[in-house]
Amino acid sequence: MTRRFTFLKRLLGVLIHADVQGAPAALSNTRRLFLLPRTSLSDLAVLTNAIGTNAECCAAFSEDTSWFKRRGVMTSYPHALRSAHQLAALGESVEIIPVSVFWSRSPGYKGSLAKLLLSERWVPTSRARRCLEVLVNRKMVQVVCAPPINLGELLNGQTDQKRALRRTARLVRIVFKNQRLMLLGPELSLKRQALAIVLSQREVRGEIERRAAATSTPVARIERHARRLLAGMVSDFSAITLRVVYRFASWCLKWANTTLDVRGLDAIRRHAQSANLVYLPCHQSHLDYIVLSYVLYDQGLALPHIAAGDNLNLPILGKLLRHCGAVFIRRSFRGDDLYRSLITHYLRLILMRGHTVEFFLEGSRSRTGFLMPAKHGMLEITLGAARAAPPRPLALVPVRYAYERVLDGASYADERSGAGKRGESWLDALKSFVRLRDGLGQVGIAFGEPVLLDPTAALAAGELAPTLLRKINEQLMLTSTHLLALVFAGKRRLDVSVARTQLEVYIDWLDGSGFEVMADDVESCILAGIRQSLVRFERFAGARWLSVTVKGERLLLWHRNNALHGLALPSLLSMNDSIDVESPLLDMLAQELHMERPSAGDIERCRAHIRANTACQAPVHQARLKALLRPNLERHLLVLKAAEERPTNLASLIAKSLQRAVLLDNRLTEPVNQETARLSAHALLSASVISATDHGIHHTACAEQLISAIQSCLPHKVFKALSESSPPSQHQLASRQAAHKPLRTPPPS
């Protein structure tokens, strides 16, 4: 046995270089016992090679918990475990470290031979299958160590050895199960089993019968319709597809010269062993769900079921995404009670079984760069599942992305200019793939601290959503493009020395505020902008300038809005140094930018930082800071003036704001479109500056205070032009729109 184990250890040491997670540091005067879930020479060889320990310090613990064998297991613990308890009873410091060795990162399946060979399973494996795993999965082996269990603290004076062994066994079984849930997720069932379970629910059956009675349609026909709806939404993981997509994504990232920066994974691994994770990322690009799934797969964590729009369910591509975990859902199912019941019970089934889930709080991609107001549908379903007391508590994980180059940036710029939203197609997917050759640059993904849901708390989605959006924005990571966009806010050309100094000022403030600056230094920011053709050097009036290109004008606005909340407070104080904690501007900005309302201490620290920094005192740098928030204040004032006309609803308020913007576009720093007007309207409603009632939308008591605060921040001429404008007449509106209507080439005859 010793010779065979030595030979196996040397062989696997050459073939396998395992990824070790959670290996504890060695402690003096402490005996350690590494406990494996089952007897396996290959697992033991990998463990001793990876951690550098001796086989004498390792033992196996049987996972067989069937009723007929339980008594045998309970009375025949490994000799090493009994000895550890005896040493702990004598007062020595003894630690048990449960360790699991995984030979793949894909969940187990019941299916084809290829899937069985390529995937990790919950049941013990055979020697023949292990030999194939060594050949196929040798680059994907992971050794996961749980936190050490101190036997002295666990026993706590327990003198009954049998009871102490049973207590340790229960704890170790739970640890091993949580390790498998963290890496693999629960054992996946066949797709048709999920269909049968959801369609058998009492609420679903009731909706089917009500639909049949209301439409005078046979129940069997409604059942077939419900089955087709459910089959079109459920995911169908495939181990082979996951492996192929992972390899292809790795090649694409390397081809696109991408630097991936991940932070916050330690908290995710810690919570994944005891909670069911629900990922809530911001939605900036179609790359969002690809990047998150790639990172989780690469880091050895269970892949989530992803709530995706049914517009992505294209031929071939839809099936590929479904095999990677996509759950296709309609953008809106208001009024369709049957569809709502199906999606509710399917997602509840996923969560109750312990699967991880991913959905976007904003509902759709942000065309403006700002974090959009939350949609409450999916969050309500998640809270309903939490109130149903699942086996493991639910933990909501805020996730934020940072892209140096957004592949969707050109389409966002077109939509801001008035172009309609185009539907997704294979042609767009191919164009995005071709654009990868220009490079993605820096890509960051930050995981926030998970929010555990209390099953007994009666928490509504409307109360929880603002907190989650703030936690997403707290994970701000800034690329070179973000920093350049902030510096060139409202300006097309800057002296090179001024641009460099301004970049240093912003990096210093953002670093001190706890945000992650991914750019190495000022020069790397400028070189990255030149490489992407966003900025360029030029000679003007005998001096060297850094100017924004035409492409930069289209793309930098999105990146500036994306990172604006990181500099909102210094920008506001540069406009009006007398702003105090009672100012209504703080409430309004906190609601619009989804940030914590600054306290009196935050304001004083920011004010002291501005006064201590000599660069911030220069007029040119003061102007750069003021330019950051000026478009937002102008837009809010525009919406407030439109609310004086008492529009009937939110859509009417946005329309009246856009009509005023058409007449005042030469006075506005930036054009106002429907998305940005909606952002202002939501922020003013959330801050209780305007109120929506049955009689329409009107000002509240604090509206005049906010208008006065905005007046103190904007130039007098700009404020006067925006506040004294009368509602546009139809003739003025038509003539102004005609003047801005783009010329179209007549079709050939």
Side-chain angles (χ1 to χ4, degrees):
M1 174 66 72
T2 305
R3 290 182 179 178
R4 187 173 68 176
F5 175 72
T6 303
F7 171 75
L8 181 63
K9 181 178 178 181
R10 290 178 179 176
L11 177 63
L12 294 184
V14 174
L15 295 176
I16 295 173
H17 299 281
D19 181 19
V20 182
Q21 296 182 14
L27 299 176
S28 58
N29 301 324
T30 300
R31 293 176 179 266
R32 284 187 163 178
L33 175 64
F34 293 91
L35 200 60
L36 288 165
R38 64 178 69 91
T39 303
S40 171
L41 286 181
S42 56
D43 287 358
L44 181 60
V46 170
L47 172 63
T48 53
N49 285 331
I51 299 181
T53 185
N54 298 322
E56 292 77 12
C57 299
C58 304
F61 182 85
S62 175
E63 277 191 323
D64 191 354
T65 57
S66 62
W67 189 85
F68 292 101
K69 296 184 180 181
R70 181 177 291 274
R71 278 183 289 181
V73 171
M74 300 300 287
T75 57
S76 60
Y77 291 104
H79 176 71
L81 189 59
R82 289 180 179 274
S83 301
H85 277 80
Q86 293 172 358
L87 291 174
L90 294 175
E92 290 197 30
S93 178
V94 182
E95 289 183 343
I96 294 178
I97 304 175
V99 182
S100 296
V101 179
F102 297 99
W103 293 79
S104 177
R105 305 181 187 182
S106 304
Y109 284 85
K110 300 175 183 177
S112 66
L113 177 62
K115 290 183 180 181
L116 292 174
L117 293 178
L118 289 172
S119 63
E120 180 69 56
R121 302 173 66 193
W122 282 70
V123 297
T125 186
S126 63
R127 293 180 181 177
R129 186 176 185 275
R130 180 53 50 85
C131 291
L132 291 173
E133 287 176 338
V134 170
L135 298 176
V136 176
N137 298 326
R138 60 189 182 89
K139 293 184 179 181
M140 306 189 74
V141 179
Q142 284 188 299
V143 178
V144 181
C145 303
I149 302 172
N150 190 293
L151 281 184
E153 299 176 359
L154 182 66
L155 296 177
N156 195 19
Q158 178 66 254
T159 57
D160 189 344
Q161 186 179 12
K162 291 184 177 180
R163 181 174 294 181
L165 286 172
R166 287 197 296 270
R167 184 177 182 183
T168 305
R170 282 196 301 270
L171 179 60
V172 170
R173 286 193 189 98
I174 293 173
V175 171
F176 284 139
K177 182 179 180 181
N178 288 337
Q179 283 179 337
R180 300 190 74 81
L181 284 172
M182 177 188 69
L183 184 73
L184 308 176
E187 195 170 8
L188 296 178
S189 302
L190 294 178
K191 180 179 176 179
R192 63 174 179 270
Q193 293 179 351
L195 296 176
I197 293 173
V198 173
L199 291 174
S200 65
Q201 297 298 312
R202 180 181 301 176
E203 292 82 358
V204 175
R205 300 297 306 174
E207 288 296 337
I208 291 175
E209 293 172 359
R210 279 192 288 272
R211 173 74 67 87
T215 59
S216 300
T217 307
V219 174
R221 182 178 296 179
I222 302 298
E223 286 181 350
R224 289 194 296 270
H225 175 65
R227 181 176 290 274
R228 285 195 299 270
L229 289 176
L230 190 58
M233 75 173 66
V234 298
S235 63
D236 187 18
F237 275 101
S238 168
I240 296 177
T241 303
L242 289 174
R243 179 71 62 85
V244 172
V245 170
Y246 171 74
R247 294 296 178 88
F248 179 70
S250 300
W251 176 82
C252 286
L253 291 176
K254 185 177 180 180
W255 179 53
N257 194 23
T258 303
T259 303
L260 197 60
D261 188 358
V262 184
R263 67 170 183 170
L265 272 178
D266 292 339
I268 302 304
R269 288 198 176 98
R270 185 173 64 252
H271 283 81
Q273 299 192 31
S274 59
N276 187 18
L277 301 181
V278 179
Y279 296 98
L280 304 177
C282 60
H283 204 1
Q284 300 181 3
S285 169
H286 279 311
L287 284 179
D288 294 345
Y289 32 83
I290 299 175
V291 170
L292 179 57
S293 295
Y294 176 86
V295 168
L296 294 177
Y297 193 90
D298 185 67
Q299 296 295 324
L301 292 168
L303 292 180
H305 292 253
I306 308 167
D310 59 354
N311 57 325
L312 294 175
N313 194 8
L314 302 172
I316 303 177
L317 180 61
K319 188 172 184 179
L320 180 67
L321 295 177
R322 197 187 301 275
H323 285 335
C324 294
V327 179
F328 293 112
I329 302 175
R330 292 178 187 170
R331 290 292 182 186
S332 175
F333 40 85
R334 183 176 300 175
D336 193 341
D337 294 334
L338 176 59
Y339 191 89
R340 179 181 293 276
S341 180
L342 289 172
I343 187 61
T344 299
H345 284 87
Y346 176 63
L347 290 176
R348 186 173 297 179
L349 173 67
I350 292 174
L351 292 170
M352 294 297 287
R353 287 193 171 188
H355 296 279
T356 57
V357 174
E358 173 192 346
F359 64 89
F360 300 100
L361 269 178
E362 301 166 271
S364 61
R365 291 170 294 157
S366 172
R367 269 70 179 174
T368 62
F370 292 109
L371 203 60
M372 305 298 289
K375 304 290 181 62
H376 297 159
M378 295 292 295
L379 188 57
E380 284 286 5
I381 294 174
T382 305
L383 293 177
R387 288 190 285 268
R392 300 201 306 168
L394 300 184
L396 306 181
V397 183
V399 184
R400 184 174 176 91
Y401 303 99
Y403 297 102
E404 186 176 326
R405 178 171 177 258
V406 179
L407 291 180
D408 315 59
S411 63
Y412 295 162
D414 292 338
E415 292 178 29
R416 286 197 304 269
S417 301
K421 180 183 180 299
R422 295 188 304 174
E424 281 71 17
S425 65
W426 260 106
L427 181 60
D428 291 333
L430 291 176
K431 287 180 179 178
S432 298
F433 176 74
V434 172
R435 283 196 293 267
L436 283 176
R437 66 183 178 183
D438 295 331
L440 287 176
Q442 299 169 312
V443 176
I445 177 170
F447 298 90
E449 187 68 24
V451 178
L452 285 173
L453 294 180
D454 185 1
T456 61
L459 194 61
E463 301 173 1
L464 183 59
T467 302
L468 294 172
L469 291 175
R470 285 196 298 270
K471 287 185 173 293
I472 291 175
N473 261 353
E474 286 174 0
Q475 307 305 316
L476 174 64
M477 303 176 73
L478 295 109
T479 64
S480 303
T481 314
H482 287 122
L483 295 170
L484 286 173
L486 292 170
V487 167
F488 283 96
K491 200 74 172 177
R492 288 196 56 186
R493 185 185 293 113
L494 286 175
D495 185 270
V496 173
S497 60
V498 173
R500 286 187 175 130
T501 305
Q502 197 71 24
L503 281 170
E504 292 173 355
V505 169
Y506 287 172
I507 291 174
D508 179 59
W509 169 262
L510 292 166
D511 269 333
S513 301
F515 298 119
E516 179 77 14
V517 179
M518 299 168 61
D520 296 330
D521 51 31
V522 170
E523 293 302 325
S524 66
C525 289
I526 297 176
L527 291 177
I530 294 174
R531 185 174 60 250
Q532 298 181 62
S533 300
L534 302 176
V535 295
R536 66 171 181 265
F537 289 114
E538 64 178 22
R539 286 283 178 180
F540 181 76
R544 195 169 182 230
W545 298 76
L546 192 63
S547 62
V548 180
T549 63
V550 176
K551 179 182 177 181
E553 287 185 33
R554 285 168 48 84
L555 302 182
L556 287 180
L557 176 60
W558 188 95
H559 290 275
R560 191 211 70 188
N561 294 340
N562 195 242
L564 181 59
H565 63 280
L567 292 170
L569 185 56
S571 176
L572 187 62
L573 291 179
S574 66
M575 290 180 168
N576 185 358
D577 188 60
S578 61
I579 292 289
D580 59 12
V581 72
E582 301 297 332
S583 174
L585 279 173
L586 298 180
D587 291 321
M588 184 266 298
L589 289 177
Q591 294 294 336
E592 181 196 16
L593 302 179
H594 304 290
M595 51 185 280
E596 288 289 344
R597 193 184 192 279
S599 63
D602 296 331
I603 295 174
E604 287 304 319
R605 281 192 296 272
C606 182
R607 187 177 285 123
H609 179 84
I610 293 175
R611 291 173 179 172
N613 195 323
T614 55
C616 291
Q617 301 301 317
V620 63
H621 297 298
Q622 284 281 330
R624 296 293 85 234
L625 275 172
K626 292 178 181 179
L628 290 174
L629 275 183
R630 178 173 166 178
N632 300 60
L633 299 186
E634 292 175 351
R635 178 166 23 95
H636 295 322
L637 183 58
L638 199 66
V639 176
L640 282 171
K641 299 304 294 183
E644 292 179 353
E645 302 176 39
R646 302 183 73 88
T648 55
N649 51 36
L650 184 62
S652 178
L653 174 64
I654 294 172
K656 291 182 180 298
S657 303
L658 293 177
Q659 290 174 2
R660 288 176 172 269
V662 169
L663 293 178
L664 297 169
D665 60 346
N666 58 339
R667 297 284 187 174
L668 296 174
T669 307
E670 290 176 2
V672 178
N673 57 29
Q674 189 169 2
E675 292 295 329
T676 53
R678 183 179 289 111
L679 280 175
S680 289
H682 277 287
L684 294 171
L685 283 170
S686 301
S688 301
V689 178
I690 58 177
S691 177
T693 63
D694 295 336
H695 302 289
I697 296 179
H698 55 84
H699 286 179
T700 62
C702 59
E704 291 301 325
Q705 298 177 5
L706 179 59
I707 293 174
S708 177
I710 293 176
Q711 182 180 6
S712 66
C713 296
L714 293 178
H716 176 70
K717 291 183 178 180
V718 174
F719 177 81
K720 184 177 180 181
L722 294 177
S723 59
E724 293 184 356
S725 62
S726 58
S729 64
Q730 292 297 326
H731 175 71
Q732 290 176 317
L733 187 60
S735 61
R736 195 66 174 175
Q737 288 176 340
H740 285 74
K741 187 176 181 180
L743 297 176
R744 297 181 181 274
T745 304
S749 58

